Amino acid sequence: MKTQLRNMLARVYRSSEYVVRENLHLFDSDTKLVADSQHYWDSFHRDFIPGKAHWRGTGIFVNDDERWLKMGRHNYNTYRRLAGVATLDDQPARIVDWGCGGGANAMHFAPGSSRYYGADVTEATVKECQKQLAQEGYHNFVPVPFKVATPETVLSVITEPIDLFLCVYVFCVFPTKTYGSRVLDIAFKLLKPGGQAFIEIRYADHTPISKPHRWGYAQNMPHMVTYRIEEFWEKAISCGFEPQLVTLELEQEVRMGKRYAYYLLTKPV
């Protein structure tokens, strides 16, 4: 009961703060948000950061390994449903996992692929993803660490055409919407003609808490970037993609949060 009350009061406070800042235009600069983002994810001396990066056995996954496995399985099954992937024989051969975290998605997407690129903003997290896959006998993992300020450097590391660009539970923690557009552009350049992008966002509704929070990266990390459902669809088109399908989850069964939208996009042939 106390936890529910605390959560409710926190939501009320964040909503009120959002209204005040929105009216007074009290926002952090894009440069500051990018720098704060890198600082946040580099702070691995704080125990909760691996949990936020979805490392196995940390944070909400302590003593709940099935939840960790179920999270990645849920995302993989959602992709399979949207893309019509029936078996491992239909699996994309070359995959980029942008914001690979501790490997929760990689555990399900990597088997059957010939190469799996794990891109993330900290080397420790990339190594953790590689470790989890190696323990399962998968050794075609390619680590791709990069800095938040320079995501375009990934284009010089991954030079072969990619079949699937995967990005789940990541767009919402980008520092800004402008940054999200940069990553969409990178995804388009990485993909081969006919390649797919499977991207999850948090969508905005009429409530203040669901709007993008453009200040205080550390305190607002899960709420930094949100889109209206049609807004992200149109943004994907402006980057050159052909959106195929979108599915919404008001509240996830795996208890990862609310207001998620999964998009399947393709690069025109």
Side-chain angles (χ1 to χ4, degrees), residues 171 199 201 227-236 263:
F171 261 75
I199 296 174
I201 65 160
Y227 302 87
R228 298 187 314 277
I229 295 163
E230 76 283 0
E231 178 188 6
F232 190 80
W233 188 279
E234 292 165 358
K235 191 170 289 291
Y263 291 79

Side-chain angles (χ1 to χ4, degrees), residues 14-178:
R14 286 199 301 268
S15 296
S16 302
E17 185 180 19
Y18 177 88
V19 171
V20 171
R21 286 181 175 271
E22 189 75 20
N23 289 333
L24 298 179
H25 303 285
L26 300 176
F27 307 124
D28 292 339
S29 69
D30 284 14
T31 302
K32 177 172 171 31
L33 288 171
V34 167
D36 288 350
S37 171
Q38 186 70 65
H39 177 72
Y40 180 90
W41 294 109
D42 279 342
S43 300
F44 270 81
H45 61 280
R46 294 180 295 178
D47 293 339
F48 66 87
I49 292 296
K52 295 295 184 181
H54 299 160
W55 287 33
R56 195 172 196 169
T58 65
I60 60 174
F61 307 111
V62 171
N63 301 322
D64 198 350
D65 198 52
E66 178 52 33
R67 184 179 179 187
W68 188 80
L69 292 167
K70 186 177 181 180
M71 178 181 70
R73 190 184 309 121
H74 168 82
N75 295 326
Y76 180 53
N77 288 338
T78 301
Y79 165 71
R80 283 165 54 114
R81 178 163 53 85
L82 293 183
V85 175
T87 67
L88 283 181
D89 294 334
D90 303 320
Q91 180 82 342
R94 296 172 298 273
I95 300 175
V96 171
D97 187 347
W98 193 277
C100 61
N105 290 310
M107 293 283 284
H108 303 276
F109 281 87
S113 65
S114 59
R115 193 125 55 242
Y116 197 90
Y117 294 93
D120 211 292
V121 296
T122 66
E123 234 176 290
T125 287
V126 173
K127 288 179 179 178
E128 174 66 15
C129 183
Q130 185 171 27
K131 172 184 139 186
Q132 293 298 329
L133 287 176
Q135 288 175 349
E136 297 298 315
Y138 184 88
H139 301 288
N140 293 330
F141 180 86
V142 181
V144 189
F146 66 94
K147 295 300 181 184
V148 175
T150 54
E152 289 80 7
T153 57
V154 171
L155 293 169
S156 63
V157 178
I158 305 174
T159 56
E160 64 176 336
I162 297 302
D163 298 288
L164 174 65
F165 179 90
L166 164 70
C167 190
V168 179
Y169 302 133
V170 180
F171 261 75
C172 61
V173 302
F174 284 159
T176 66
K177 280 189 178 182
T178 301

Side-chain angles (χ1 to χ4, degrees), residues 15 18 202-213 223 225-228 259:
S15 296
Y18 177 88
R202 294 190 84 165
Y203 63 86
D205 55 23
H206 62 281
T207 58
I209 190 63
S210 75
K211 304 298 189 293
H213 287 44
H223 309 283
V225 175
T226 62
Y227 302 87
R228 298 187 314 277
R259 305 185 325 276

